Amino acid sequence: MPDTPEASIESGPSERRVAWYRRRRMVFAVVLTVVVGAGSGLWWWASRDPLKLPASACWSLLDQNDLRSLAGAAQGTYTVRHGEHDGDEIALLPGIRSQTCTVAQDYRVLSGVTVRLWDKLTYHDVYEANADPAARRQSDLGPDIQGLWEEDSRMRLAFLCDNPAAELTHLTYLEVVVWGDSELVDPKLPSVRQARLDAALKVAKAAATTNACVNPVHFPARAKEPGVV
C-alpha cells in the first residue's frame, strides 16, 4: 500500500537529519585529511638534514659564503680534510708539489681544491697544446692566467710562478683545480660554475703569494661565467 501524504511528511525531517549527518561526516573527513597531510609535510620538512658547513676550509682560504655557493641543494654535515697527496698540512705551504683539501661528507666531496707545482712541459701539454679537446677555455682571466673548464665542470687555473725553489726542481708553474661530486650538486648550474671559478681565483692568489712568485702575476678582480648576472 503506498505511503499516505501524512507518512511522507512525517518521514521528511528524519531524512533531512540523516543527510545532514552524512554531510557533516564528509566535511570532517576532508578536514582530517588536510590536517594529516599538512602534518606529514611539516614532519618531512623538519626531518630533513639541514646543511652544515665548516666556518672555514681549505687552508682557511674559503669561508662559509664560498662553500654555500658551491653547495647547491646539498644537505647534511660536511667537514674539512687535508692531505690526499704528499702534503698533510692544514696551511698552504710553499714548495709542496701537491696539496689537496676537500669538504666532504663520508666519501662524497662537496668541494675539492688541489694546488700543485708543475714543470713547463706538463703545463704546455695541458694548457698550450690543449690535449683535452672537450675542455673549454675561460677567456676573461687576463694575459697571465690560463683557465680550462673540463667536461665535468672541473675548473683549472695555471700560471707561471718563478720562485726560489724552482731553480732546483724546475717546477715553475702553479695550477689550482676546483671540483666536486656531481651527485651532490649540478655542476652545469651557472651559479655552481661561478662559485668554482671564484674559489679557484681566491686560492690561486694565495698560492702565488705563498710560493713567492718573483714574476708579476695579474689576477682579474672577478671573472664571470656566462649566464651569471
Side-chain angles (χ1 to χ4, degrees):
M1 179 177 181
D3 292 339
T4 62
E6 290 81 3
S8 299
I9 292 173
E10 289 177 0
S11 64
S14 177
E15 292 176 354
R16 285 197 294 273
R17 280 196 297 273
V18 170
W20 182 80
Y21 280 119
R22 286 176 179 169
R23 285 196 298 272
R24 189 175 180 182
R25 284 197 297 269
M26 289 177 61
V27 171
F28 178 77
V30 171
V31 171
L32 182 62
T33 300
V34 171
V35 170
V36 170
S40 298
L42 289 173
W43 174 86
W44 175 82
W45 183 262
S47 66
R48 295 175 70 204
D49 192 7
L51 178 64
K52 295 179 182 177
L53 297 169
S56 66
C58 298
W59 315 289
S60 299
L61 298 177
L62 303 182
D63 58 28
Q64 280 195 327
N65 290 329
D66 299 314
L67 298 176
R68 195 171 292 110
S69 299
L70 288 163
Q75 298 173 337
T77 300
Y78 293 85
T79 56
V80 184
R81 302 171 186 170
H82 293 89
E84 286 187 4
H85 298 284
D86 59 357
D88 197 23
E89 300 81 9
I90 60 173
L92 195 62
L93 297 177
I96 303 294
R97 185 155 189 158
S98 183
Q99 297 178 82
T100 293
C101 158
T102 59
V103 180
Q105 180 189 73
D106 297 328
Y107 296 101
R108 298 183 299 173
V109 177
L110 182 73
S111 180
V113 182
T114 295
V115 178
R116 53 194 174 201
L117 293 167
W118 271 358
D119 59 26
K120 182 173 177 56
L121 180 60
T122 305
Y123 171 85
H124 172 77
D125 288 344
V126 174
Y127 287 91
E128 294 179 343
N130 197 13
D132 181 3
R136 180 178 67 81
R137 292 190 178 274
Q138 181 74 30
S139 59
D140 58 347
L141 297 174
D144 299 331
I145 314 295
Q146 293 284 347
L148 289 178
W149 284 108
E150 294 187 324
E151 209 167 7
D152 56 357
S153 293
R154 182 169 66 159
M155 181 66 209
R156 303 177 70 166
L157 296 179
F159 53 92
L160 177 66
C161 179
D162 282 325
N163 57 83
E167 293 183 10
L168 297 176
T169 63
H170 303 290
L171 300 175
T172 54
Y173 286 84
L174 262 171
E175 187 189 47
V176 174
V177 186
V178 179
W179 78 96
D181 286 348
S182 58
E183 292 82 5
L184 293 175
V185 294
D186 182 358
K188 295 181 181 178
L189 287 174
S191 59
V192 173
R193 291 168 65 90
Q194 182 67 56
R196 289 182 179 178
L197 178 57
D198 292 342
L201 282 170
K202 182 180 282 191
V203 174
K205 292 176 186 177
T209 300
T210 299
N211 283 276
C213 304
V214 296
N215 57 297
V217 184
H218 301 96
F219 292 93
R222 187 172 188 253
K224 196 169 171 182
E225 253 299 284
V228 176
V229 295

